[in-house]
């Protein structure tokens, strides 16, 4: 299988080929197969180019989840490098903010075109670094270019308001950019999150310095190169690599006007605290333990499909997953029979093969953590209906990968650890319920509030339940669909602010009011 265009992936070495920056190549599927890629070039990016680490110390290995082999060494950016990136972004911001929305839109549409043209190879690199199936990764890349197109459209519409005042005076408002925004991404959607944060930021006239997860540093720099090729000023989208220390430097930097973070609740609280010292705006998209409620009058086929989508995308490593599945008692036997049968049929293995539906978890510690939750569930009275074990694919090169068979747990209670805590692995906890009032109370009995779902044919009940669920998103008769037009964000400990949708413009801009007096000043003095 060959591709009509490929990612400009600097430093991606196949079995016999080094791919230099900005060279378009036709590469076969075999050339970027699992277990063959090495990352050789720098992964930092500012000033319009990749930047070598200033000090090659404190290196952290970056793994290929499907094989367990090391892809590269990551060298975290220190204070001097962070400052260089912020200065580069500030210089680019001063140029970008002066461009008309129509001009910014043209550049962004070109970036979207490039991503769309090279989607297959970007997706393959995402799979190699992240472990998810290529089928999912292709969808992620499509969502990315659609997001840029969407915000390019909004860039052309940004405007203020005219307010008529007495005596011929008037006021008007101007929507202005914030400045240099900091984006901090997560490992589960590396490329897509980089776009989700940068697209609305750039549409509003901001610059961005983005720090990927240290476990998935590879594809953010490709986005930076694509933005440059599309025509943004050098430095408008910078990439700095590192872990907590680098993130701290970004949050404390005086040039940072806003911090947008996707990740865990404890880290989100720390980012909020650090950003507060500089009175920086913050968007937090944090964890979840979302409820999925299935009523007896549902379309069972769709409810089962919804439960699978709510639990097993990206090996269960999705913050909004509906991992607490509440099923009305009358249909519990039928539901469990069907969901177990389909879970057992999920093809686990090489994530670069088209037939694979579940790849590898991100790391060995994450795999061990998910397996431990299953063991603890059994110790607390839960019953494993299927899965919950390490999975060893037949392909020898995958023997060291971080694979797990998807798991369905029965006999779960609300007080069990697997029901209360976010697992971030392919584990579905199923619980029975009797009445609508009871299940809403139980569903809301959590510190999280990112998402929720309900399956029912009763349209009145569907809207009634949605109204009463304490979550930023409620899916009715579906789950885990996230079109770019739809705002996404949490309640309670799942964060605040929104990503996607028109409302996100408000989180990457600020409003200035200008008051114009046409007559004489009436003074009390």
């Amino acid at each position: 299988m060959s591709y009509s265009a490929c990612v400009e992936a600097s430093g991606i070495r196949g079995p016999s080929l080094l791919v230099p920056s900005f060279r378009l190549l036709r590469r076969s599927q075999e050339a970027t197969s699992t277990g063959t890629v090495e990352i050789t070039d720098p992964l930092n990016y500012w000033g319009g180019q990749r930047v070598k680490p200033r000090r090659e110390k404190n290196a952290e290995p970056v793994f290929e989840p499907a094989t367990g082999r090391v892809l590269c060494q990551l060298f975290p950016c220190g204070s001097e490098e962070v400052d260089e990136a912020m200065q580069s972004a500030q210089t680019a911001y001063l140029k970008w903010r002066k461009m008309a929305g129509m001009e910014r839109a043209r550049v962004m549409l070109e970036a979207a075109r490039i991503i769309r043209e090279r989607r297959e190879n970007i997706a393959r690199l995402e799979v190699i670094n992240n472990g998810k199936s290529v089928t999912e990764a292709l969808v992620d890349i499509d969502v990315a270019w659609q997001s840029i197109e969407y915000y390019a459209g909004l860039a052309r519409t940004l405007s203020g308001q005219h307010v008529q005042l007495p005596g011929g005076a008037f006021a008007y408002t101007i929507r202005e950019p914030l400045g240099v925004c900091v984006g901090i991404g997560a490992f589960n959607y590396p490329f897509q999150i980089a776009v989700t944060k940068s697209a609305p930021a750039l549409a509003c006239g901001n610059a961005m310095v983005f720090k990927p997860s240290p476990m998935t540093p590879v594809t953010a720099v490709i986005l930076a190169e694509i933005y440059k090729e599309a025509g943004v000023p050098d430095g408008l989208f910078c990439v700095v690599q590192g872990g907590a220390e680098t993130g701290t430097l970004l949050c404390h930097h005086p040039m940072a006007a806003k911090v947008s973070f996707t990740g865990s609740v404890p880290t989100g609280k720390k980012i909020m605290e650090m950003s507060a010292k500089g009175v920086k705006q913050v968007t937090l998209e944090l964890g979840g333990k979302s409820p999925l409620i299935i009523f007896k009058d549902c379309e069972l086929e769709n409810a089962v499909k919804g439960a699978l989508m709510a639990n097993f995308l990206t090996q269960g490593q999705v913050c909004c997953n509906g991992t607490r599945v509440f099923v009305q008692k009358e249909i519990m036997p039928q539901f469990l029979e069907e969901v177990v049968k389909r879970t057992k049929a999920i093809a686990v293995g090489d994530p670069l093969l088209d037939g694979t539906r579940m790849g590898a978890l991100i790391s060995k510690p994450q795999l061990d953590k998910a397996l431990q939750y299953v063991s603890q569930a059994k110790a607390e009275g839960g019953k494993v209906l299927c899965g919950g074990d390490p999975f060893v694919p037949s392909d020898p090169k995958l023997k060291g990968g971080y694979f797990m068979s998807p798991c369905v747990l029965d006999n779960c209670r609300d007080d069990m650890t697997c029901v209360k805590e976010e697992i971030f692995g392919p584990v579905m906890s199923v619980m029975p319920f009797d009445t609508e009032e009871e299940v809403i109370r139980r569903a809301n009995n959590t510190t999280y509030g990112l998402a929720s779902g309900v399956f029912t044919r009763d349209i009145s009940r569907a809207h009634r339940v949605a109204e009463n669920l304490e979550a930023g998103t409620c899916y009715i008769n579906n789950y885990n669909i996230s079109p770019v037009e739809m705002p996404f964000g949490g309640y309670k400990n799942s964060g605040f602010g929104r990503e996607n949708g028109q409302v996100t413009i408000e989180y990457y801009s600020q409003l200035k009011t200008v008051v114009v007096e046409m007559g004489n000043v009436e003074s009390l003095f």
Side-chain angles (χ1 to χ4, degrees):
M1 178 179 179
S2 61
Y3 301 101
S4 60
C6 104
V7 178
E8 299 159 350
S10 305
I12 307 301
R13 189 186 295 273
S16 60
L17 182 66
L18 174 67
V19 185
S21 299
F22 295 110
R23 182 182 295 176
L24 298 182
L25 299 169
R26 293 179 180 271
R27 300 185 66 187
S28 68
Q29 180 173 346
E30 291 75 18
T32 52
S33 61
T34 300
T36 64
V37 171
E38 299 173 21
I39 310 299
T40 59
D41 277 9
L43 297 174
N44 299 316
Y45 193 96
W46 55 82
Q49 61 185 355
R50 296 195 184 216
V51 181
K52 292 183 178 180
R54 182 154 296 169
R55 292 177 302 277
E56 294 192 353
K57 63 179 184 178
N58 301 323
E60 298 180 15
V62 177
F63 297 97
E64 180 179 24
T67 64
R69 56 187 284 276
V70 175
L71 283 173
C72 64
Q73 297 292 326
L74 182 139
F75 302 97
C77 288
S79 58
E80 293 180 4
E81 291 158 305
V82 167
D83 190 59
E84 282 183 13
M86 296 296 291
Q87 294 281 358
S88 177
Q90 177 69 17
T91 300
Y93 160 68
L94 295 176
K95 300 175 183 176
W96 184 251
R97 67 165 296 170
K98 295 297 184 182
M99 294 173 63
M102 186 71 78
E103 294 174 300
R104 294 198 296 267
R106 279 196 291 267
V107 175
M108 293 178 68
L109 288 173
E110 175 63 9
R113 184 197 66 78
I114 295 170
I115 294 171
R116 184 167 61 248
E117 181 181 278
R118 303 170 191 170
R119 64 187 286 270
E120 292 177 344
N121 281 74
I122 299 175
R124 297 181 75 79
L125 291 174
E126 190 87 323
V127 168
I128 288 165
N129 192 195
N130 167 273
K132 69 172 65 184
S133 73
V134 70
T135 302
E136 283 192 47
L138 285 166
V139 175
D140 296 350
I141 306 308
D142 286 341
V143 171
W145 65 255
Q146 290 165 13
S147 179
I148 295 177
E149 280 193 345
Y150 177 77
Y151 285 106
L154 290 183
R156 295 179 262 196
T157 68
L158 298 181
S159 60
Q161 179 185 19
H162 177 273
V163 181
Q164 190 65 49
L165 300 174
F170 63 94
Y172 61 91
T173 60
I174 308 170
R175 188 163 292 282
E176 297 185 333
L178 300 174
V180 178
C181 300
V182 169
I184 301 178
F187 67 76
N188 52 352
Y189 292 88
F191 190 85
Q192 187 185 119
I193 289 176
V195 169
T196 298
K197 296 184 185 305
S198 63
L202 269 56
C204 291
N206 302 288
M208 175 163 280
V209 177
F210 184 78
K211 188 192 81 65
S213 164
M215 290 186 282
T216 52
V218 175
T219 52
V221 70
I222 294 172
L223 176 62
E225 291 178 327
I226 288 172
Y227 275 139
K228 175 184 171 67
E229 185 182 357
V232 306
D234 287 350
L236 193 72
F237 181 79
C238 302
V239 178
V240 297
Q241 302 289 352
E245 183 177 340
T246 304
T248 298
L249 292 169
L250 289 167
C251 291
H252 283 308
H253 200 281
M255 285 185 181
K258 174 193 172 71
V259 180
S260 177
F261 170 74
T262 299
S264 71
V265 173
T267 304
K269 289 179 178 179
K270 292 177 183 176
I271 284 175
M272 187 175 176
E273 181 181 355
M274 290 186 291
S275 301
K277 293 179 180 178
V279 198
K280 305 178 193 301
Q281 295 192 33
V282 178
T283 292
L284 299 177
E285 196 272 277
L286 308 178
K289 193 68 182 177
S290 301
L292 174 59
I293 303 171
I294 299 174
F295 286 94
K296 63 183 179 182
D297 68 341
C298 71
E299 171 54 55
L300 188 61
E301 171 81 5
N302 282 332
V304 169
K305 290 179 181 178
L308 296 172
M309 290 293 289
N311 281 270
F312 298 136
L313 288 176
T314 311
Q315 300 74 252
Q317 300 166 131
V318 181
C319 52
C320 56
N321 269 359
T323 53
R324 294 186 294 145
V325 181
F326 296 93
V327 181
Q328 205 155 22
K329 283 183 178 178
E330 290 86 342
I331 62 167
M332 178 67 94
Q334 305 97 296
F335 174 83
L336 287 176
E337 179 182 2
E338 190 63 26
V339 83
V340 168
K341 181 177 73 174
R342 295 194 179 210
T343 300
K344 288 180 177 179
I346 294 173
V348 183
D350 188 338
L352 280 177
L353 298 182
D354 290 339
T356 298
R357 286 298 173 266
M358 182 175 290
L361 276 73
I362 189 64
S363 68
K364 183 64 163 58
Q366 188 63 33
L367 171 62
D368 291 343
K369 176 185 173 184
L371 293 171
Q372 177 57 37
Y373 271 109
V374 175
S375 297
Q376 189 167 358
K378 290 191 287 186
E380 294 177 4
K383 181 181 179 181
V384 176
L385 299 184
C386 65
D389 299 310
F391 181 85
V392 181
S394 58
D395 188 337
K397 69 184 176 185
L398 305 179
K399 298 295 184 184
Y402 315 131
F403 296 93
M404 175 179 174
S405 54
C407 178
V408 177
L409 292 173
D410 190 15
N411 289 351
C412 295
R413 304 181 311 275
D414 293 353
D415 62 347
M416 291 172 62
T417 305
C418 65
V419 175
K420 294 189 297 182
E421 297 183 8
E422 186 176 34
I423 298 174
F424 235 55
V427 181
M428 178 193 302
S429 300
V430 185
M431 293 161 288
F433 75 92
D434 287 307
T435 67
E436 178 182 322
E437 294 74 19
E438 167 214 339
V439 77
I440 290 174
R441 174 182 52 78
R442 293 169 63 193
N444 289 334
N445 185 26
T446 175
T447 59
Y448 296 109
L450 190 54
S452 59
V454 55
F455 277 83
T456 178
R457 286 190 178 103
D458 186 331
I459 191 66
S460 296
R461 170 186 282 153
H463 288 288
R464 188 169 61 243
V465 171
E467 178 185 2
N468 285 285
L469 287 172
E470 297 168 356
T473 298
C474 182
Y475 299 99
I476 296 177
N477 293 331
N478 209 331
Y479 206 95
N480 266 344
I481 55 170
S482 297
V484 298
E485 304 94 333
M486 183 183 83
F488 180 78
Y491 284 11
K492 300 191 280 192
N493 277 4
S494 290
F496 54 82
R498 291 295 180 268
E499 294 183 324
N500 292 340
Q502 186 173 349
V503 70
T504 303
I505 294 298
E506 298 179 16
Y507 295 99
Y508 282 99
S509 61
Q510 53 196 346
L511 208 60
K512 176 180 286 181
T513 300
V514 180
V515 183
V516 181
E517 177 58 65
M518 301 298 289
N520 296 321
V521 174
E522 294 184 7
S523 175
L524 296 176
F525 307 101

